[in-house]
Amino acid sequence: MALSNITREYPYASHHLARSVADIVPAAEKNPAFANSYDWHSSVHMHYLLASLLETEVAQSAGWRKRALDVLSSHLSEEHMLTEAAFLRANPSWERPYGWAWAVELNRVLNASEVPELRALGTHTQVLAETVFDLVVAWLPKVAAPVRHGVHSNTAFGLRRVLLGARAAERHDVVDAIADAARRFFAEDVAWNLRQERSGHDFLSPGLCEADLMAEVLTEDELATWLPEFLSELSPESPALTPVKVLDPTDGQQSHLYGLGLSVAASVMRLAPKLEAIAEKSGHDELIAQAKGILTQVDSLMAPGLEASVSDEYVSSHWLATFAWEALIQRVGHQH
């Protein structure tokens, strides 16, 4: 699915501001690496997915291995990455922060790869990640309040991924800027309303994205107070942990709900062990029951999205497989 997507040019949603008629050109002229997989951010994270899949045991002897490496090497050439980075610098609010986050994630997985060809591509994508890091540091001091919607503009989702990449790259200025912003945005939040957060085109839970970010930013002692208070309304019966039935899979906005189940499941699998660890230290039995309870919803949350991620419906399949992969990886890690 990843290989099919990053070699498919149309349909393509090009979300560019045209400053003059000269800007109305084929997408590949502006974005030579990522003018595929329906839109720029989906293309970036499908490249990340393909690179991640090349790390697996199955990939070592797979018939698609050579083609995957060839396509990635072609798309992520040094020249293409310089062009993509220049476009981000020239359009500093474009793809912010969702596309930014996946660009950093792509670079991180390439740099950490066991596959020599992929590690070499990490040197090419470094300029893209460094551009994002610089843009984040310039942007965050000017942000008056976070975006809490359950879609691409969500601040917490993007910042958590950039934070993890900045740590790996030892960009301490970026780590500090994100930690400062996260505290400013979210430190005072309590008892998040998980009953009413969801809208009909969300693929992220605003509350769980926030908790995920704060779990990376707060000290152990701070988190022991903040996390149980913030998630006090979360239970296995919460609407937020119930998959929403997609009534029209051909509706690109409604099909976001497939991804919501996958992203919520991944968040639950990250957060439940943290709640358990806090409970064990504090002897809080109700917290242990909460942590174990919310994990019982993971499989039902994931099921619709796993199926849709490899369907023939392109409004779903151009992006969902990345979220399916991350939820599956989280589940394997959790079981271990």
Side-chain angles (χ1 to χ4, degrees), residues 4-18:
S4 164
N5 282 335
I6 67 170
T7 53
R8 179 169 175 171
E9 293 181 26
Y10 294 101
Y12 188 78
S14 189
H15 308 290
H16 294 157
L17 173 69

Side-chain angles (χ1 to χ4, degrees), residues 59 68 82 95 146 207 218 224 289:
L82 288 168
E95 289 286 358
L218 297 178

Side-chain angles (χ1 to χ4, degrees), residues 211-268:
D212 261 338
L213 173 61
M214 294 303 271
E216 293 292 338
V217 165
L218 297 178
T219 66
E220 192 178 324
D221 286 348
E222 288 171 331
L223 192 67
T225 300
W226 187 90
L227 191 62
E229 289 184 357
F230 181 75
L231 294 180
S232 59
E233 303 293 314
L234 184 63
S235 73
E237 294 75 38
S238 294
L241 298 191
T242 307
V244 190
K245 187 168 178 54
V246 174
L247 302 179
D248 181 4
T250 68
D251 182 327
Q253 293 298 311
Q254 191 178 145
S255 64
H256 279 173
L257 296 167
Y258 289 128
L260 179 65
L262 294 167
S263 66
V264 165
S267 287
V268 164

Side-chain angles (χ1 to χ4, degrees), residues 19-323:
R19 295 181 177 87
S20 74
V21 71
D23 283 335
I24 302 173
V25 296
E29 287 188 27
K30 296 181 176 191
N31 302 108
F34 303 125
N36 47 66
S37 199
Y38 196 83
D39 50 23
W40 194 89
H41 49 257
S42 301
S43 175
V44 174
H45 72 65
M46 277 290 155
H47 283 77
Y48 152 82
L49 174 59
L50 189 57
S52 300
L53 292 170
L54 281 164
E55 298 287 332
T56 62
E57 204 174 315
V58 173
Q60 308 313 310
S61 55
W64 48 266
R65 179 183 176 80
K66 183 181 184 304
R67 182 158 180 256
L69 287 169
D70 287 348
V71 170
L72 287 174
S73 298
S74 166
H75 288 192
L76 306 179
S77 68
E78 186 175 15
E79 182 184 4
H80 285 177
M81 290 302 96
L82 288 168
T83 302
E84 294 281 4
F87 190 85
L88 286 183
R89 282 195 300 277
N91 299 274
S93 65
W94 184 72
E95 289 286 358
R96 181 185 75 193
Y98 185 78
W100 289 3
W102 286 114
V104 169
E105 193 85 320
L106 171 63
N107 180 243
R108 186 186 64 75
V109 81
L110 291 171
N111 285 339
S113 178
E114 300 289 321
V115 180
E117 297 95 324
L118 295 182
R119 265 202 319 283
L121 295 179
T123 63
H124 298 170
T125 57
Q126 197 66 38
V127 67
L128 195 63
E130 295 294 344
T131 298
V132 170
F133 291 148
D134 292 344
L135 288 170
V136 167
V137 170
W139 169 59
L140 281 178
K142 303 173 193 169
V143 180
V147 173
R148 300 176 184 270
H149 297 169
V151 289
H152 309 82
S153 52
N154 182 283
T155 304
F157 180 85
L159 288 188
R160 177 179 168 273
R161 286 176 183 271
V162 176
L163 174 68
L164 297 176
R167 279 186 186 148
E170 297 188 350
R171 278 292 300 260
H172 304 297
D173 57 330
V174 183
V175 172
D176 291 345
I178 292 174
D180 290 348
R183 287 172 180 277
R184 176 163 60 91
F185 296 153
F186 304 125
E188 303 305 315
D189 288 358
V190 292
W192 182 261
N193 184 349
L194 288 143
R195 295 196 68 78
Q196 293 177 320
E197 73 163 20
R198 187 161 60 193
S199 69
H201 68 177
D202 286 353
F203 63 92
L204 302 170
S205 157
L208 296 181
C209 285
E210 177 178 334
D212 261 338
L213 173 61
M214 294 303 271
E216 293 292 338
V217 165
L218 297 178
T219 66
E220 192 178 324
D221 286 348
E222 288 171 331
L223 192 67
T225 300
W226 187 90
L227 191 62
E229 289 184 357
F230 181 75
L231 294 180
S232 59
E233 303 293 314
L234 184 63
S235 73
E237 294 75 38
S238 294
L241 298 191
T242 307
V244 190
K245 187 168 178 54
V246 174
L247 302 179
D248 181 4
T250 68
D251 182 327
Q253 293 298 311
Q254 191 178 145
S255 64
H256 279 173
L257 296 167
Y258 289 128
L260 179 65
L262 294 167
S263 66
V264 165
S267 287
V268 164
M269 287 185 279
R270 281 189 292 268
L271 294 167
K274 295 183 188 302
L275 287 173
E276 285 197 56
I278 292 165
E280 282 165 13
K281 276 197 166 183
S282 63
H284 196 323
D285 291 344
E286 283 180 24
L287 206 53
I288 291 180
Q290 180 190 23
K292 291 188 184 309
I294 62 177
L295 285 169
T296 62
Q297 298 301 102
V298 163
D299 287 352
S300 64
L301 283 164
M302 288 174 62
L306 290 177
E307 188 178 344
S309 66
V310 289
S311 74
D312 293 331
E313 186 50 66
Y314 193 50
V315 293
S316 296
S317 64
H318 79 269
W319 67 281
L320 264 176
T322 306
F323 282 74

